[in-house]
Amino acid sequence: REALITKQDTIPANERFKLESMDQENLPSAKKELLRQMSSPNRARDDSRANLNRKMSVQEYEMLKEEDEGCLKKYRRRCMQEMHDKLSFGPKFEGVHDLDSGEAFLEVIEKEHHSTVVVVHIYKFGVRGCEQLNSCLDCLATEYPTVKFCRIDAVASGAAERFSDEVLPTLLVYKAGELLGNFLACTQHLNEEFFATDVEAFLNSYGLLPEKELPAGEDEEENYVE
């Protein structure tokens, strides 16, 4: 029996622990990590899972939140556009229409769709403010396609005696054949240097323009990048 006692059995327990510790200290780092995982195999997986959860909550939460907000904005915008399309009765127009006679002027007023707002600019070349107002109406025509913007030379209208240089430029606004606005020498209500936004604000102050069209093809949510 004494012969079966090994050398390790003769080493006290405390000394054996010291030797094992010294041996582990001399091991490469890769082997140390392997031994650590073998001693507690679930710990590494738990640590990884905890790290993953922490990254999800801190790094990805804001991104997911932004995506949700972008989807909501896109959905609201689509609903508004669909509602707008349903409520937008009548034809749509492109650019400012040039009228060449008094008959054309009367036809636009009397025969246009009853829901269409018709804005007519009576002008004369060389009269101050007329050319600038024409440029402003060109811009507004693109923003209000449901409004029919027209212009006619005072001489071509056949009523040059009624539209002298003193009352030009003149803006007339009609709907369903009814005169809603009659603005003689309308630039006197604007600054000396005015722009399309000034003319728009002037007409809106009298409630003569409909709701502005939503920009077609413009979707800021798709380009939403933080």
Side-chain angles (χ1 to χ4, degrees):
R1 181 181 178 183
E2 293 180 356
L4 296 176
I5 299 176
T6 63
K7 182 179 182 181
Q8 184 175 3
D9 292 335
T10 61
I11 300 175
N14 59 342
E15 293 294 332
R16 187 163 61 250
F17 175 77
K18 290 181 182 180
L19 289 173
E20 290 175 352
S21 300
M22 291 176 63
D23 290 341
Q24 289 188 10
E25 289 178 359
N26 295 327
L27 290 175
S29 58
K31 289 188 177 181
K32 287 182 180 180
E33 178 63 19
L34 180 61
L35 288 174
R36 186 184 69 81
Q37 293 182 15
M38 291 175 65
S39 63
S40 55
N42 293 327
R43 183 176 178 182
R45 289 197 296 270
D46 293 341
D47 290 346
S48 299
R49 188 178 297 108
N51 289 336
L52 178 60
N53 291 334
R54 179 180 61 79
K55 291 179 181 178
M56 283 287 290
S57 61
V58 175
Q59 298 178 4
E60 296 187 9
Y61 173 75
E62 290 298 328
M63 182 168 56
L64 292 174
K65 182 180 177 182
E66 291 170 3
E67 290 179 356
D68 289 342
E69 291 176 351
C71 290
L72 286 174
K73 288 181 180 179
K74 188 174 182 179
Y75 175 75
R76 286 197 300 266
R77 187 178 183 85
R78 185 168 63 250
C79 290
M80 289 175 63
Q81 182 64 58
E82 290 175 356
M83 183 181 298
H84 187 278
D85 291 341
K86 290 179 181 179
L87 297 176
S88 296
F89 302 104
K92 295 187 178 183
F93 310 94
E94 294 183 2
V96 179
H97 298 259
D98 290 293
L99 308 177
D100 55 7
S101 66
E103 289 77 12
F105 173 76
L106 292 175
E107 184 175 353
V108 165
I109 296 170
E110 297 173 354
K111 296 185 178 181
E112 196 51 68
H113 193 277
H114 64 86
S115 67
T116 298
V117 174
V118 180
V119 179
V120 181
H121 173 211
I122 301 177
Y123 68 96
K124 189 175 181 180
F125 290 108
V127 175
R128 185 177 182 179
C130 287
E131 184 177 356
Q132 192 171 355
L133 185 56
N134 274 332
S135 298
C136 292
L137 296 184
D138 287 333
C139 295
L140 292 180
T142 63
E143 298 187 18
Y144 294 89
T146 60
V147 177
K148 188 166 188 176
F149 290 92
C150 305
R151 56 186 166 220
I152 184 171
D153 186 282
V155 177
S157 69
E161 67 281 356
R162 294 180 55 189
F163 297 107
S164 60
D165 294 358
E166 289 74 20
V167 299
L168 298 180
T170 290
L171 277 179
L172 304 177
V173 184
Y174 297 88
K175 186 176 182 181
E178 180 183 356
L179 180 64
L180 302 181
N182 181 14
F183 306 105
L184 302 176
C186 62
T187 51
Q188 67 181 346
H189 303 289
L190 305 170
N191 295 327
E192 184 175 352
E193 185 178 6
F194 59 90
F195 303 93
T197 52
D198 300 313
V199 179
E200 178 184 27
F202 172 70
L203 293 173
N204 275 328
S205 67
Y206 290 91
L208 297 174
L209 293 177
E211 290 293 328
K212 186 180 291 187
E213 288 279 287
L214 291 175
E218 182 179 321
D219 201 337
E220 61 183 11
E221 289 75 20
E222 290 184 355
N223 298 322
Y224 184 81
V225 178
E226 190 69 29

